[in-house]
Amino acid sequence: MRTFRNRTTVLAAATTAALALTLTACGDNGTGTRSEGSAASDSATVAAESPKAADGAADTSTTESTGSGTGTTQAAGAAKSSGSTGGTSAEASAPLCTAKGLQITAERQDGPPYTHLTLSAKNTSGAGCEMKEYPHIHFLDNARGIVPPVAKSKPQAPVILEPGQSAYVAVRMSEGGRKESTETVKEFTVTLKANGGGMAVVKSPAPEGLSVNPQKWATGYWTTELRNGADDF
């Protein structure tokens, strides 16, 4: 009976040892490969890190979606840069001069027979402005039309007036011939060509008035130089 128990005990011990060897073989195959337990641990680590990576992907996707929809910070910066360029262009050009910001006077040139006069427009607005084209001068009633411009007197560059600076226009009123048919005016109107520029009433520089001939009158363009008849018209 004692011998049978001893054999049973030895058999149980042998079985336990064999089972232990089997488990060891499963844990390490002799090539340095990690056991399934290690793999499971790594899997858990990756799983723990996955939400962070997923959040990053979601953030990137959201940013891209926002960029295509309402604009990202980078897109806003690009728009600001574009606006800045537009702003630089707007600052480079001066606003148009208006009659309210100018003091317009007339002076006769040469003479006799006083066929020309010079219009002066002094900038009294306190800010720089641009004089556009030529003045619309009405010597007589509106039905007679405006004094037509002489194309060759047009300046090549924009005429910008700084505060206190003046622009000038040479105006031919008549040819001065004795047999010439003229009419006398003691005041006339000057309207700035730009829309909304306004109108000024200018008095004759001579008490007796100015002799004008609708068939011969002409005007130059605004310039910053007093040409004194150098327009040759």
Side-chain angles (χ1 to χ4, degrees), residues 63-125:
T63 301
E64 292 175 354
S65 174
T66 304
S68 62
T70 59
T72 62
T73 302
Q74 183 177 1
K80 183 177 181 180
S81 174
S82 175
S84 171
T85 303
T88 302
S89 177
E91 292 173 3
S93 60
L96 299 180
C97 297
T98 64
K100 290 183 179 180
L102 298 171
Q103 181 183 1
I104 301 178
T105 57
E107 181 181 356
R108 286 195 297 188
Q109 285 186 9
D110 307 328
Y114 302 111
T115 59
H116 289 69
L117 62 79
T118 297
L119 288 182
S120 301
K122 184 178 181 180
N123 182 4
T124 58
S125 68

Side-chain angles (χ1 to χ4, degrees), residues 16 20 24 29 55 72 90 94 140 144 146 165 171 186 195 203:
T16 302
T24 301
N29 59 8
D55 289 343
T72 62
L140 303 172
R144 306 289 188 96
I146 64 171
Q165 189 177 10
V171 181
K186 291 192 174 182
N195 292 336
K203 294 183 178 296

Side-chain angles (χ1 to χ4, degrees), residues 119-152:
L119 288 182
S120 301
K122 184 178 181 180
N123 182 4
T124 58
S125 68
C129 63
E130 180 181 357
M131 294 292 286
K132 277 284 191 182
E133 301 290 334
Y134 55 91
H136 283 202
I137 302 172
H138 279 100
F139 276 126
L140 303 172
D141 56 86
N142 291 343
R144 306 289 188 96
I146 64 171
V147 178
V150 177
K152 64 181 179 180

Side-chain angles (χ1 to χ4, degrees), residues 109 117-121 131 153-161 165-171 220-231:
Q109 285 186 9
L117 62 79
T118 297
L119 288 182
S120 301
M131 294 292 286
S153 67
K154 184 176 182 179
Q156 297 299 317
V159 178
I160 306 298
L161 296 184
Q165 189 177 10
S166 295
Y168 306 95
V169 163
V171 181
Y221 282 69
W222 293 110
T223 67
T224 53
E225 299 177 358
L226 180 57
R227 301 191 181 197
N228 193 27
D231 290 284

